[in-house]
Amino acid sequence: MKARVGTKGVALVAVFAALFTVLTLLPGIPIIGGKGRIELAASLAPLFGIVLGPWLGALAAFLGALLAWALPPGSPDPFTGLLMLAPTISSLTAGLATSKKIGRVEGWIPAALVLGILVLAWYATWVGARAPLYPVLHVAGLVLIVVLGRRLAEYLRSNARSKMALAVVVSSYCGIVADHMVGNLAFIASLGVFIPLEVISAWLKGLGLPDVPSLFMFTLPISAAERLAMTAVAALVGIPLVATLKTAAPHLAERK
C-alpha cells in the first residue's frame, strides 16, 4: 500500500509541477502602474496545497517554479531565483490551513505560524520599520486563519458547497498573501545586491517618491486589488476543482 501511495504521490507532483510550468507561459494579470505581469500560476499555487496537501503541493509548486526559472523563456537570474520560494510558501500555507492534522498539531496552527513569521520578517527589515501599516493584507490573512481555525479543514471536506467554497477562498487568499510577502522580502533583500540601487533611484524619481518604504505604501491599494483579483481566479478554478476531486485527491480524501 505504501508503495502505491508513494508512486501516486510522485505522479501527482510531476503532473502538477508540469502544470505550474505551463501556466507560467500563459498571459497573466498586468501589474497596474508597473512593468511585468502577475503570472496565472501564482494565483493557482494555493490550489496545489489544497488538493495535494502541504508537502506534495509545496514540492510540486517549487519544482514547477524551478523549471519555469531554468527553461526558456524564463529568466535564470538570482533575484527571480529567490522568487521561486513564493509559490512554494503559498502552496504550503494553503495546504497547512486546510489540513486536519500535521503530526499531533491541527493544521491551521503551523499555517498561522508561517504567515506570522512572514509578517515579523517584514518588521525586521529597514523598510518594514518605516512602513508599519503595509502588512495589513497579510495580517488579515493571519486573522482569518486564527478565527476559523480547524473549521477550514472541516469546511473543505464538507458536503455543503457554501462551506467548501469558503474554505477554498480563505485558504487561497492566505496562500496568495504569503506569496506576496515572500516576494516583498526577496525584493528588499535584493536591493543593492541583485537589483542596482541606481535602478531603484530612477524608479522612485519617476514616481515622485522619496524612498523605498513610500513606494510600498504607494502601491498598497494596487497590491490589495491584485491580491483580491488573484483570489477570485483561485476561487473560480478551485471551487469546481475541489468538488470534482474530493474523493480522488489524497489531501481532500483525508479523514484523520
Side-chain angles (χ1 to χ4, degrees):
M1 177 64 71
K2 287 184 179 180
R4 284 203 302 258
V5 172
T7 301
K8 181 179 180 181
V10 169
L12 286 170
V13 168
V15 169
F16 274 77
L19 174 62
F20 186 97
T21 304
V22 170
L23 288 172
T24 64
L25 302 176
L26 300 179
I29 303 170
I31 298 176
I32 305 169
K35 297 180 180 180
R37 63 194 173 108
I38 295 175
E39 294 174 347
L40 184 60
S43 300
L44 301 185
L47 300 181
F48 286 35
I50 293 172
V51 172
L52 300 181
W55 315 124
L56 291 182
L59 178 59
F62 175 77
L63 292 176
L66 177 62
L67 289 173
W69 176 77
L71 299 176
S75 302
D77 59 79
F79 173 62
T80 54
L82 288 177
L83 295 181
M84 288 190 296
L85 293 175
T88 306
I89 297 300
S90 174
S91 181
L92 177 66
T93 303
L96 289 171
T98 52
S99 294
K100 289 187 175 182
K101 291 282 187 178
I102 299 296
R104 297 183 178 182
V105 178
E106 292 180 353
W108 69 270
I109 296 175
L113 283 174
V114 171
L115 264 179
I117 289 170
L118 289 173
V119 171
L120 290 175
W122 167 262
Y123 288 114
T125 68
W126 68 273
V127 176
R130 296 170 62 181
L133 299 181
Y134 182 78
V136 60
L137 302 174
H138 317 86
V139 172
L142 177 58
V143 170
L144 285 171
I145 290 177
V146 172
V147 168
L148 289 173
R150 71 176 67 179
R151 284 174 289 182
L152 278 172
E154 295 171 354
Y155 286 179
L156 185 68
R157 296 161 181 79
S158 172
N159 292 324
R161 193 175 179 89
S162 59
K163 290 184 176 180
M164 181 270 286
L166 177 63
V168 171
V169 170
V170 171
S171 54
S172 293
Y173 172 80
C174 293
I176 285 167
V177 295
D179 172 298
H180 184 226
M181 184 55 81
V182 171
N184 293 333
L185 295 172
F187 175 79
I188 294 170
S190 298
L191 290 175
V193 182
F194 303 132
I195 303 175
L197 293 178
E198 313 85 74
V199 173
I200 300 301
S201 297
W203 193 12
L204 292 172
K205 184 177 180 181
L207 293 171
L209 298 172
D211 53 26
V212 173
S214 63
L215 172 65
F216 276 93
M217 293 308 299
F218 174 78
T219 59
L220 179 56
I222 297 170
S223 296
E226 289 170 350
R227 281 348 100 174
L228 291 175
M230 293 169 72
T231 302
V233 171
L236 287 172
V237 175
I239 292 170
L241 180 65
V242 169
T244 302
L245 298 179
K246 186 162 282 190
T247 59
H251 188 50
L252 300 176
E254 172 193 332
R255 298 295 176 188
K256 293 188 290 182

